[in-house]
Amino acid sequence: KVHHHDIRPDNLMVYTTSDGRYIGVLNNFDLSSTPDSTSSHEHTGTVPFMAIEFLMKEGIQGKIKHLYRHDAESFIWVLTWVC
């Protein structure tokens, strides 16, 4: 399990295969962590695409542990922005 911490349009790539399928790729894992790493309380990312919980008082103070749902919420914000 890896938490990306910075899901944004610049870190997503889509390409077309020779048979016409679309493949999506998440890249730029330099800010990522695993659930048991000490950096899981550090909240980095691009503000418009961060999970709302990290923008609240407890999140700003670093009291919220990064979970998979925070990256999932970032994907939703990216899709909202792109579409």
Side-chain angles (χ1 to χ4, degrees), residues 6-66:
D6 192 22
I7 295 173
R8 58 187 171 138
D10 294 346
N11 291 337
L12 297 171
M13 297 179 356
V14 177
Y15 65 93
T16 308
T17 62
S18 59
D19 62 351
R21 292 182 301 140
Y22 291 98
I23 304 292
V25 178
L26 177 63
N27 60 21
N28 193 4
F29 284 85
D30 59 338
L31 299 175
S32 65
S33 68
T34 57
D36 58 345
S37 69
T38 57
S39 65
S40 63
H41 285 279
E42 293 177 18
H43 304 299
T44 56
T46 306
V47 173
F49 308 111
M50 289 177 74
I52 291 176
E53 194 170 11
F54 294 138
L55 303 175
M56 307 300 257
K57 185 177 180 179
E58 287 184 341
I60 292 169
Q61 294 172 345
K63 295 180 180 177
I64 306 294
K65 183 173 180 167
H66 194 95

